[in-house]
PDB file of all heavy atoms in Angstrom:
ATOM      1  N   ARG A 721     -25.916 -71.149-245.824  1.00 87.00           N
ATOM      2  CA  ARG A 721     -27.332 -71.325-245.736  1.00 87.00           C
ATOM      3  C   ARG A 721     -27.673 -72.205-244.525  1.00 87.00           C
ATOM      4  O   ARG A 721     -27.007 -73.386-244.442  1.00 87.00           O
ATOM      5  CB  ARG A 721     -27.989 -71.781-246.910  1.00 87.00           C
ATOM      6  CG  ARG A 721     -29.457 -71.921-246.872  1.00 87.00           C
ATOM      7  CD  ARG A 721     -30.056 -72.335-248.258  1.00 87.00           C
ATOM      8  NE  ARG A 721     -29.633 -73.698-248.659  1.00 87.00           N
ATOM      9  CZ  ARG A 721     -30.303 -74.819-248.272  1.00 87.00           C
ATOM     10  NH1 ARG A 721     -31.434 -74.701-247.512  1.00 87.00           N
ATOM     11  NH2 ARG A 721     -29.922 -75.919-248.587  1.00 87.00           N
ATOM     12  N   SER A 722     -28.504 -72.094-243.715  1.00 85.00           N
ATOM     13  CA  SER A 722     -28.815 -72.903-242.653  1.00 85.00           C
ATOM     14  C   SER A 722     -29.750 -74.025-243.352  1.00 85.00           C
ATOM     15  O   SER A 722     -30.605 -73.737-244.110  1.00 85.00           O
ATOM     16  CB  SER A 722     -29.682 -72.214-241.574  1.00 85.00           C
ATOM     17  OG  SER A 722     -30.528 -73.170-240.894  1.00 85.00           O
ATOM     18  N   PRO A 723     -29.432 -75.302-243.128  1.00 79.00           N
ATOM     19  CA  PRO A 723     -30.270 -76.393-243.714  1.00 79.00           C
ATOM     20  C   PRO A 723     -31.791 -76.206-243.435  1.00 79.00           C
ATOM     21  O   PRO A 723     -32.556 -76.791-244.110  1.00 79.00           O
ATOM     22  CB  PRO A 723     -29.694 -77.607-243.032  1.00 79.00           C
ATOM     23  CG  PRO A 723     -28.397 -77.260-242.565  1.00 79.00           C
ATOM     24  CD  PRO A 723     -28.460 -75.834-242.215  1.00 79.00           C
ATOM     25  N   GLU A 724     -32.126 -75.482-242.375  1.00 81.00           N
ATOM     26  CA  GLU A 724     -33.609 -75.201-242.112  1.00 81.00           C
ATOM     27  C   GLU A 724     -34.222 -74.225-243.055  1.00 81.00           C
ATOM     28  O   GLU A 724     -35.360 -74.183-243.132  1.00 81.00           O
ATOM     29  CB  GLU A 724     -33.745 -74.804-240.583  1.00 81.00           C
ATOM     30  CG  GLU A 724     -33.558 -75.956-239.563  1.00 81.00           C
ATOM     31  CD  GLU A 724     -32.152 -76.170-239.176  1.00 81.00           C
ATOM     32  OE1 GLU A 724     -31.420 -75.224-238.898  1.00 81.00           O
ATOM     33  OE2 GLU A 724     -31.673 -77.299-239.318  1.00 81.00           O
ATOM     34  N   THR A 725     -33.310 -73.360-243.527  1.00 81.00           N
ATOM     35  CA  THR A 725     -33.911 -72.392-244.436  1.00 81.00           C
ATOM     36  C   THR A 725     -34.196 -72.928-245.773  1.00 81.00           C
ATOM     37  O   THR A 725     -33.358 -73.545-246.395  1.00 81.00           O
ATOM     38  CB  THR A 725     -32.850 -71.186-244.637  1.00 81.00           C
ATOM     39  OG1 THR A 725     -32.356 -70.811-243.327  1.00 81.00           O
ATOM     40  CG2 THR A 725     -33.523 -69.990-245.388  1.00 81.00           C
ATOM     41  N   PRO A 726     -35.377 -72.883-246.318  1.00 82.00           N
ATOM     42  CA  PRO A 726     -35.736 -73.573-247.476  1.00 82.00           C
ATOM     43  C   PRO A 726     -34.999 -72.871-248.614  1.00 82.00           C
ATOM     44  O   PRO A 726     -34.970 -71.658-248.803  1.00 82.00           O
ATOM     45  CB  PRO A 726     -37.229 -73.301-247.654  1.00 82.00           C
ATOM     46  CG  PRO A 726     -37.678 -72.376-246.633  1.00 82.00           C
ATOM     47  CD  PRO A 726     -36.571 -72.237-245.682  1.00 82.00           C
ATOM     48  N   PRO A 727     -34.370 -73.699-249.534  1.00 80.00           N
ATOM     49  CA  PRO A 727     -33.646 -73.122-250.674  1.00 80.00           C
ATOM     50  C   PRO A 727     -34.658 -72.790-251.816  1.00 80.00           C
ATOM     51  O   PRO A 727     -35.880 -73.129-251.705  1.00 80.00           O
ATOM     52  CB  PRO A 727     -32.882 -74.384-251.111  1.00 80.00           C
ATOM     53  CG  PRO A 727     -33.677 -75.510-250.650  1.00 80.00           C
ATOM     54  CD  PRO A 727     -34.389 -75.208-249.515  1.00 80.00           C
ATOM     55  N   ILE A 728     -34.207 -71.976-252.739  1.00 80.00           N
ATOM     56  CA  ILE A 728     -35.047 -71.597-253.840  1.00 80.00           C
ATOM     57  C   ILE A 728     -35.375 -72.939-254.689  1.00 80.00           C
ATOM     58  O   ILE A 728     -34.471 -73.803-254.765  1.00 80.00           O
ATOM     59  CB  ILE A 728     -34.389 -70.569-254.814  1.00 80.00           C
ATOM     60  CG1 ILE A 728     -33.118 -71.084-255.355  1.00 80.00           C
ATOM     61  CG2 ILE A 728     -34.283 -69.187-254.006  1.00 80.00           C
ATOM     62  CD1 ILE A 728     -32.626 -70.308-256.456  1.00 80.00           C
ATOM     63  N   PRO A 729     -36.550 -73.004-255.231  1.00 84.00           N
ATOM     64  CA  PRO A 729     -36.924 -74.197-256.012  1.00 84.00           C
ATOM     65  C   PRO A 729     -36.015 -74.298-257.325  1.00 84.00           C
ATOM     66  O   PRO A 729     -35.696 -73.216-257.887  1.00 84.00           O
ATOM     67  CB  PRO A 729     -38.330 -73.869-256.385  1.00 84.00           C
ATOM     68  CG  PRO A 729     -38.808 -72.665-255.725  1.00 84.00           C
ATOM     69  CD  PRO A 729     -37.622 -71.994-255.167  1.00 84.00           C
ATOM     70  N   LEU A 730     -35.674 -75.452-257.633  1.00 84.00           N
ATOM     71  CA  LEU A 730     -34.858 -75.695-258.822  1.00 84.00           C
ATOM     72  C   LEU A 730     -35.607 -76.414-259.887  1.00 84.00           C
ATOM     73  O   LEU A 730     -36.613 -77.143-259.632  1.00 84.00           O
ATOM     74  CB  LEU A 730     -33.623 -76.493-258.518  1.00 84.00           C
ATOM     75  CG  LEU A 730     -32.703 -75.907-257.461  1.00 84.00           C
ATOM     76  CD1 LEU A 730     -31.541 -76.903-257.274  1.00 84.00           C
ATOM     77  CD2 LEU A 730     -32.063 -74.629-258.066  1.00 84.00           C
ATOM     78  N   ALA A 731     -35.231 -76.015-261.159  1.00 85.00           N
ATOM     79  CA  ALA A 731     -35.812 -76.749-262.327  1.00 85.00           C
ATOM     80  C   ALA A 731     -35.475 -78.341-262.073  1.00 85.00           C
ATOM     81  O   ALA A 731     -34.446 -78.639-261.560  1.00 85.00           O
ATOM     82  CB  ALA A 731     -35.334 -76.230-263.577  1.00 85.00           C
ATOM     83  N   PRO A 732     -36.324 -79.317-262.527  1.00 86.00           N
ATOM     84  CA  PRO A 732     -36.079 -80.714-262.322  1.00 86.00           C
ATOM     85  C   PRO A 732     -34.690 -81.175-262.721  1.00 86.00           C
ATOM     86  O   PRO A 732     -34.026 -81.861-262.098  1.00 86.00           O
ATOM     87  CB  PRO A 732     -37.158 -81.375-263.108  1.00 86.00           C
ATOM     88  CG  PRO A 732     -38.198 -80.351-263.281  1.00 86.00           C
ATOM     89  CD  PRO A 732     -37.511 -78.995-263.274  1.00 86.00           C
TER      90      PRO A 732
END
Side-chain angles (χ1 to χ4, degrees):
Chain A
R721 183 177 67 85
S722 154
E724 284 83 52
T725 312
I728 58 160
L730 295 178

